[in-house]
Amino acid sequence: MRATLCAVLIFSAVLLAAQDATIEKIGKSPVETKFGSGGRIRMDLCSSGIDVIGKESGQLRVSYDAGRGDVKVRIRVSGDRAELRVTDCPRNNFRVTIEVPKSSALYVRMFAGELNVKDVTGDKDVVLHFGQLTMDVGKPDSYARVDASVNSGDLEASAFNISKGGLFRSFDRSGPGTYRVHAHVGAGQLELR
């Protein structure tokens, strides 16, 4: 009995370790790894144009025009958590597409640029310091809490019938759902639709 329990524990540890992965690529596109639905993804993104898109696949995939420079992509997966870091993006209209499982919790930080999030069901904690953040939130009743703010700029949340502009604009909303949205733009435009 004791030997069987030890064998089961060892086998479980081997399975968990087999799911863990770290991938680091420079100047290569696409960069991808398996990642299951329902996980949490933490992203630290370079200043550029970025589209985060939810897909029905069980993978995390980063693609861009590899001929435009030595972009560094690092993906670390540990069980149901992933960390993605994209650095050294060139300037002048550079675009990155990040595909994630449709059901994912996102934590995204980006200094400047254009950030679009669409077709992702789950918690979203997204901060952009300068630029334009556009997030498709789907059904407003899916959320237990929504808070959005801009220090300077426009806050358009058509999904929640909110339209504000100027300095230090924000709104909070509670609802019947299970997910949470936190969205902030330092200077620029924030749109929730």
Side-chain angles (χ1 to χ4, degrees):
M1 177 76 165
R2 191 173 196 186
T4 303
L5 180 61
C6 286
V8 168
L9 289 174
I10 291 171
F11 182 71
S12 297
V14 168
L15 280 179
L16 286 174
Q19 294 174 353
D20 293 355
T22 299
I23 299 169
E24 294 186 55
K25 301 284 183 181
I26 299 175
K28 305 284 184 191
S29 178
V31 179
E32 57 189 32
T33 188
K34 291 180 181 180
F35 186 69
S37 182
R40 303 183 69 75
I41 306 169
R42 183 181 185 100
M43 299 182 195
D44 182 8
L45 305 174
C46 60
S47 297
S48 60
I50 298 199
D51 297 306
V52 179
I53 303 169
K55 297 286 188 174
E56 293 294 343
S57 64
Q59 68 178 2
L60 181 55
R61 183 176 197 264
V62 179
S63 57
Y64 58 91
D65 180 0
R68 298 250 348 245
D70 291 331
V71 176
K72 294 179 185 175
V73 177
R74 180 174 185 236
I75 303 172
R76 178 181 290 168
V77 175
S78 179
D80 68 345
R81 297 187 182 265
E83 292 180 17
L84 168 63
R85 185 172 171 89
V86 181
T87 58
D88 295 338
C89 293
R91 302 189 193 281
N92 300 328
N93 300 317
F94 185 72
R95 297 216 58 91
V96 177
T97 300
I98 301 170
E99 297 173 14
V100 301
K102 191 178 247 340
S103 176
S104 296
L106 301 179
Y107 177 93
V108 182
R109 296 298 183 264
M110 185 169 147
F111 183 70
E114 178 186 349
L115 177 58
N116 302 302
V117 179
K118 63 182 178 179
D119 298 329
V120 178
T121 304
D123 293 338
K124 299 168 190 72
D125 184 337
V126 183
V127 173
L128 173 65
H129 295 286
F130 302 98
Q132 180 174 345
L133 169 58
T134 303
M135 192 179 328
D136 291 339
V137 294
K139 298 178 183 178
D141 289 343
S142 299
Y143 297 94
R145 175 132 194 266
V146 176
D147 69 273
S149 61
V150 294
N151 290 346
S152 175
D154 295 325
L155 173 56
E156 299 291 333
S158 59
F160 305 99
N161 296 316
I162 301 291
S163 179
K164 299 179 178 188
L167 297 175
F168 305 107
R169 301 299 179 191
S170 66
F171 85 96
D172 286 306
R173 177 189 178 274
S174 296
T178 56
Y179 302 122
R180 181 180 183 273
V181 169
H182 168 73
H184 176 74
V185 173
Q189 183 172 352
L190 170 58
E191 183 176 359
L192 302 179
R193 55 183 183 195

